Amino acid sequence: MKLIIDDAHIEKIKKIYEYYPVDGVTTNPSILAQSGRKPYDVLKEIRAFIGDEAELHVQAVARTAEGMVEDAHRIVRELGETTYVKIPSVQEGFKAMKMLKKEGILITATAIYTPMQAFLAAKSGASYAAPYINRIDNMGYNGIQVAKNIHDVFKKNGLETEVLAASFKNSQQVLELCEYGIGASTVAPEVIEGLVKNQAIVSAIDDFISDFESLAGEGKTMSNC
């Protein structure tokens, strides 16, 4: 499973990249709005930092298929051909996906709440389909199970599209989908850090260091004992 950062704050992105093995960054209009800066200023800064090989997902915001295609052209022109254009999984979006697929533009189908949306997006040419785990939960359904069902639909129908799960509230959700073998998860920096934030882990490390210092001296490590 690929692990992708769901954020647009460059300092948070840099911190996660420093410590964790991540595969790129996803953004959406709401995340960009939180930055308070011009969209392409933020996105170009992210692209420059993560490089051309890492995944960057950027959403088209036009309401019509033709407008989405125009958005996609600008996104790719500004941020490179390896950028995934996020297209909403609605009627106009499916039309746009088919048009963009013919042009070879990478597509991430977004705003997915049901397996049938994901299936139609995959058939329309999306490389990824992004179900909203927490938002599905809030509607009274099981977001994790929906993501698993979508994964199974893709595999059983011979579709190359992968699940890109989004909208997580805790690390347990990420773990469940990792165990299931889905394609990718895009996760907020705070949740990524929570993947290994455990007092038992911290206590074990502190005990090891304390025992070693009692043997070799305070502040000593394997490099200077």
Side-chain angles (χ1 to χ4, degrees), residues 116-131:
M116 187 51 66
Q117 273 184 292
F119 174 73
L120 293 172
K123 293 278 286 182
S124 297
S127 297
Y128 284 113

Side-chain angles (χ1 to χ4, degrees), residues 196-209:
V196 291
K197 189 176 290 184
N198 185 306
Q199 189 56 46
I201 298 172
V202 174
S203 296
I205 295 169
D206 287 343
D207 288 344
F208 287 141
I209 293 173

Side-chain angles (χ1 to χ4, degrees), residues 22-193:
V22 291
D23 299 284
V25 174
T26 63
T27 64
N28 62 43
S30 298
I31 287 174
L32 289 175
Q34 291 171 12
S35 73
R37 300 169 56 199
K38 293 181 178 179
Y40 283 106
D41 288 349
V42 176
L43 293 166
K44 287 181 178 179
E45 187 174 36
I46 294 171
R47 172 57 85 193
F49 173 72
I50 67 176
D52 293 333
E53 298 303 316
E55 293 190 10
L56 178 61
H57 300 249
V58 179
Q59 188 160 332
V61 296
R63 291 187 180 274
T64 67
E66 291 74 17
M68 292 175 196
V69 170
E70 289 182 9
D71 278 2
H73 290 164
R74 173 79 186 278
I75 289 168
V76 171
R77 185 167 68 249
E78 296 280 358
L79 303 169
E81 294 181 356
T82 58
T83 304
Y84 288 80
V85 180
K86 297 172 70 174
I87 302 291
S89 298
V90 295
Q91 182 171 287
E92 291 291 323
F94 298 136
K95 180 180 177 180
M97 290 178 204
K98 293 193 296 179
M99 296 164 69
L100 294 170
K101 176 65 174 179
K102 291 179 180 179
E103 298 181 26
I105 291 176
L106 300 171
I107 303 162
T108 295
T110 192
I112 288 179
Y113 291 82
T114 71
M116 187 51 66
Q117 273 184 292
F119 174 73
L120 293 172
K123 293 278 286 182
S124 297
S127 297
Y128 284 113
Y132 292 165
I133 305 303
N134 195 41
R135 295 188 188 187
I136 294 171
D137 283 352
N138 290 338
M139 293 173 62
Y141 301 98
N142 186 328
I144 293 296
Q145 189 58 53
V146 170
K148 291 178 179 179
N149 291 346
I150 292 170
H151 174 86
D152 291 343
V153 166
F154 291 163
K155 301 308 176 186
K156 290 177 180 178
N157 287 276
L159 297 167
E160 296 181 358
T161 309
E162 294 283 358
V163 173
L164 171 58
S167 182
F168 291 93
K169 62 183 177 182
N170 59 58
S171 58
Q172 178 61 31
Q173 293 173 319
V174 180
L175 171 60
E176 285 190 50
L177 292 182
C178 183
E179 291 176 334
Y180 203 72
I182 70 159
S185 289
T186 180
V187 187
E190 295 78 12
V191 177
I192 292 177
E193 291 180 330

